[in-house]
Amino acid sequence: MTIATVNPALAFLQQIQQRQSGSVPSPPPPPPPPPPTVAPAPTKNWTRIEIMPGLEIHIRQDFIYPNNLQARQNLVQLISQKIFAIFNLNQSSK
C-alpha cells in the first residue's frame, strides 16, 4: 500500500514539495500598502453658557439667532418644552 492509495491529497502535497525542493524559494510577498489617510472632519466651535446652577446651554458657532420677535419667542418656547419634557421624565422615574 502506498501513500497515494491511502491518502491521495497527502501524495499530491508530497509531489509539490519534491518539485519545489530543487528550485530556489520564492521571496516573501511584499507588505500590503498602508491604508490611505483620511483627513478629520472640521470641528465646530461651541460656546457654553451657564444659565443657572444645573442648567447650561451650548451654542454652536454656526447657529443663527432669530432676528424677529416671533421667532425668538418660538425659540424660548421650544427650549422650555424640551426642559419640561426632561424634568417630567426625571420626576416620573422617582
Side-chain angles (χ1 to χ4, degrees):
M1 214 178 227
T2 66
I3 292 178
T5 57
V6 175
N7 190 341
L10 184 58
F12 176 74
L13 292 175
Q14 282 181 340
Q15 288 175 355
I16 293 173
Q17 187 178 24
Q18 288 170 356
R19 280 188 238 144
Q20 290 181 346
S21 65
S23 64
V24 178
S26 61
T37 57
V38 178
T43 58
K44 302 282 185 176
N45 290 329
W46 291 79
T47 301
R48 175 184 167 263
I49 301 171
E50 186 173 352
I51 306 300
M52 60 189 319
L55 177 63
E56 58 187 45
I57 60 172
H58 295 244
I59 303 171
R60 200 172 61 207
Q61 71 182 16
D62 59 348
F63 174 73
I64 299 171
Y65 187 71
N67 61 1
N68 67 57
L69 180 60
Q70 183 62 48
R72 286 191 296 268
Q73 288 174 341
N74 291 345
L75 175 63
V76 170
Q77 183 177 10
L78 178 62
I79 292 170
S80 179
Q81 289 171 349
K82 298 286 184 177
I83 293 171
F84 185 75
I86 291 171
F87 185 73
N88 276 343
L89 285 176
N90 290 338
Q91 293 298 320
S92 64
S93 65
K94 289 183 180 181

